[in-house]
């Protein structure tokens, strides 16, 4: 009996030891698997985080740089498509540019209405050259107006400092009238004018030479009526500029034609008529030429 009991106890003991060993092995495997999965999860999380951060940082920068490069390249490679005929003041296409355009120009700026005229042009998506006089930009208000017009994208032209009749003044004064204004404009807007218009359209051989030395395109105009007393009225002026006819000053035929260089001034009646003039010219089949596309000397 003793031998059988001892044998039974020994068998039970061995079975218990084997069960304990199997249990430990199972727990070890389970713990190892959990740890490995955790490590994989953390590693994946870190990798995903690095990938997302890289994507979010690099892509917008690349796109932004690409857009800036395209814009810079577009501005640098912009070629002129028109030129000014100095004899007739008309604007002509280069190669196959649209010939059904007119050039709007505004003299004696910035006096009282230049800013309003610039705003009207901007609203109508039309361009013009603003020809400036020096005595309008001596004070802070005039300088601010000039800078604003320039920042709106309108080219600034030279109309002499004090609006003299050029052939009637000495040559040294002619030089001073032109060059000193270029200096003043550059001081305010950071660049010198590329276009020149003499007051009353009166040039001299000397003024022409100075204009050339300053690298400017000289231009007069093909027609304009707002300085005639008969057309110092918004409605009358509007009809005259749109039709090109001014019967009250004996112009009974139309001066409106492709390439017309239309003269206007910083005046109350011109300011009132400007929006309708742009609309009317477009109805006649003409678009306003962009002066930045005109061939210059520099």
């Amino acid at each position: 009996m003793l031998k059988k009991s001892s044998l039974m106890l020994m068998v039970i003991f061995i079975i218990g030891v084997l069960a304990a060993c199997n249990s430990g092995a199972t727990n070890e495997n389970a713990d190892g698997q959990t740890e490995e999965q955790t490590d994989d999860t953390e590693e994946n999380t870190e990798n995903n985080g690095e990938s997302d951060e890289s994507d979010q940082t690099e892509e917008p920068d690349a796109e932004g740089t690409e857009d800036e490069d395209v814009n810079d390249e577009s501005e640098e490679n912009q070629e002129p498509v028109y030129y000014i005929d100095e004899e007739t003041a008309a604007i002509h296409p280069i190669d196959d540019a649209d010939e059904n355009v007119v050039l709007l120009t505004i003299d004696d700026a910035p006096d009282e209405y230049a800013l309003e005229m610039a705003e009207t042009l901007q609203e109508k998506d039309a361009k013009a050259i603003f020809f400036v006089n020096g005595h309008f930009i001596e004070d802070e208000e005039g300088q601010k107006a000039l800078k604003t017009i320039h920042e709106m994208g309108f080219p600034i032209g030279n109309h002499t400092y004090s609006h003299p009749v050029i052939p009637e003044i000495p040559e040294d004064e002619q030089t001073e009238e032109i060059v000193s204004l270029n200096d003043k404009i550059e001081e305010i807007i950071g660049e010198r004018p590329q276009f020149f218009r003499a007051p009353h359209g009166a040039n001299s051989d000397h003024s022409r030479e100075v204009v050339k030395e300053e690298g400017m395109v000289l231009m007069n105009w093909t027609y304009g009526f707002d300085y005639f007393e008969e057309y110092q009225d918004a409605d009358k002026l509007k009809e005259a500029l749109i039709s090109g006819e001014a019967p009250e000053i004996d112009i009974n035929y139309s001066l409106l034609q492709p390439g017309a260089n239309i003269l206007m001034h910083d005046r109350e009646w011109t300011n009132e008529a400007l929006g309708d003039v742009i609309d009317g010219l477009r109805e006649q089949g003409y678009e306003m030429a962009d002066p930045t596309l005109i061939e210059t000397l520099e």
Side-chain angles (χ1 to χ4, degrees), residues 39 52 57 81 135 137-138 141 161 190 210 222 238 243 267 288 291 298:
D39 290 343
D52 291 343
T57 302
V81 297
H135 54 260
I137 55 173
E138 291 179 336
E141 182 180 359
Y161 202 97
V210 173
T222 59
K238 175 181 67 176
S243 67
R267 300 287 187 270
M288 313 307 113
E298 292 185 346

Side-chain angles (χ1 to χ4, degrees), residues 18 21 57 62-63 69-70 79-80 102 114 134 148 161 174 194 211 227 253 260 296:
L18 291 174
C21 289
T57 302
E63 290 176 1
D69 290 344
V70 169
E79 296 291 335
V102 296
T148 300
Y161 202 97
Q174 294 178 28
Q194 294 185 310
V211 168
Y227 54 97
Y253 51 92
T296 57

Side-chain angles (χ1 to χ4, degrees), residues 247-272:
E248 294 191 34
I249 54 173
D250 297 326
I251 299 179
N252 297 305
Y253 51 92
S254 179
L255 296 174
L256 174 62
Q257 57 185 349
N261 189 329
I262 301 176
L263 168 66
M264 294 180 286
H265 291 80
D266 181 339
R267 300 287 187 270
E268 180 180 8
W269 47 90
T270 313
N271 178 37
E272 292 176 5

Side-chain angles (χ1 to χ4, degrees), residues 78-84 94 129 155 192-196 214-219 290-298:
Q78 194 174 45
E79 296 291 335
V81 297
Y82 297 101
Y83 71 93
I84 295 292
I94 298 174
I129 302 174
R192 300 174 80 79
Q194 294 185 310
F195 302 102
F196 175 79
E214 285 289 298
M216 293 186 288
V217 174
L218 184 148
M219 69 167 73
D290 183 349
T292 64
L293 297 179
I294 295 176
E295 186 176 54
T296 57
L297 302 183
E298 292 185 346

Side-chain angles (χ1 to χ4, degrees), residues 133-158:
N133 291 124
H135 54 260
F136 291 130
I137 55 173
E138 291 179 336
D139 59 14
E140 185 177 349
E141 182 180 359
Q143 293 172 17
K144 184 177 179 180
L146 174 62
K147 191 172 183 180
T148 300
I149 292 169
H150 174 256
E151 289 174 348
M152 292 171 73
F154 298 103
I156 304 301
N158 183 319

